[in-house]
Amino acid sequence: METAHMATPLGIAKLEGDEQGLCAVSVLNSDLPLDPIIPEVLEDAVYQLQEYFEGKRKDFSLVLNPRGTAFQKRVWEALQHIPFGRTVSYLELSKTLGDVKAIRAVAAANGKNPLWIIIPCHRVIGSDGSLTGYAGGLHRKKWLLEHESPVQQQRLF
């Protein structure tokens, strides 16, 4: 398993993967000295994330290999179909997966998403439009949704 770290506007991102694909992307709550050497198997993931943060990328084209249960993987697959700049509620996501009663299990699987940003769990909100639960912190979820918003707030001064 190879590891790389990269600076993002939201903190240091840690990427993990191997020849079978990208296994994990997480944001750290601490600063690390960054190693300028990126393992070859992670170069494309680092490049695509940089493009995302620069506003040049809306979709990722990476081989993913997240570790989880079959149900978690179904939820993570469904998350990848939420378009850039859009949100869905946990209830809508549960309906998409065919079981409205599974809302808590869907929310739990969403919270276990190992591929920060790549699998866009930040695009899932409460039924009332509220920013609910986000492992990376609600301030990061808010930033990501604003970054992806098709309507950018203009400054008056």
Side-chain angles (χ1 to χ4, degrees):
M1 185 70 57
E2 300 284 349
T3 301
H5 295 88
M6 66 179 282
T8 78
L10 298 172
I12 303 297
K14 178 181 178 182
L15 295 80
E16 298 173 86
D18 56 25
E19 294 78 20
Q20 278 73 53
L22 189 62
C23 300
V25 177
S26 57
V27 63
L28 306 177
N29 288 319
S30 62
D31 290 329
L32 289 174
L34 295 178
D35 185 345
I37 299 171
I38 305 294
E40 186 176 340
V41 296
L42 297 174
E43 285 177 350
D44 199 30
V46 168
Y47 178 75
Q48 288 188 35
L49 278 167
Q50 287 171 335
E51 285 186 326
Y52 169 85
F53 283 112
E54 292 169 358
K56 298 176 183 174
R57 176 174 291 275
K58 295 182 178 184
D59 298 301
F60 295 95
S61 57
L62 298 166
V63 176
L64 305 181
N65 189 21
R67 293 187 173 91
T69 67
F71 179 78
Q72 288 171 332
K73 289 179 180 182
R74 274 189 59 222
V75 172
W76 301 336
E77 176 65 30
L79 291 170
Q80 293 176 69
H81 297 287
I82 304 170
F84 183 93
R86 301 278 177 92
T87 58
V88 300
S89 70
Y90 289 99
L91 180 60
E92 290 173 292
L93 188 56
S94 297
K95 287 179 182 177
T96 298
L97 291 164
D99 188 357
V100 69
K101 294 178 183 176
I103 191 168
R104 290 185 191 273
V106 167
N110 191 56
K112 298 280 186 191
N113 172 20
L115 289 162
W116 181 58
I117 299 174
I118 307 292
I119 296 178
C121 60
H122 60 277
R123 296 180 189 155
V124 184
I125 59 174
S127 293
D128 63 357
S130 63
L131 299 183
T132 58
Y134 189 63
L138 290 180
H139 68 287
R140 288 187 178 111
K141 184 172 189 166
K142 182 177 186 281
W143 190 97
L144 291 166
L145 292 175
E146 288 174 354
H147 177 68
E148 295 182 1
S149 175
V151 179
Q152 297 296 319
Q153 178 66 36
Q154 300 293 317
R155 294 185 185 265
L156 295 175
F157 303 101

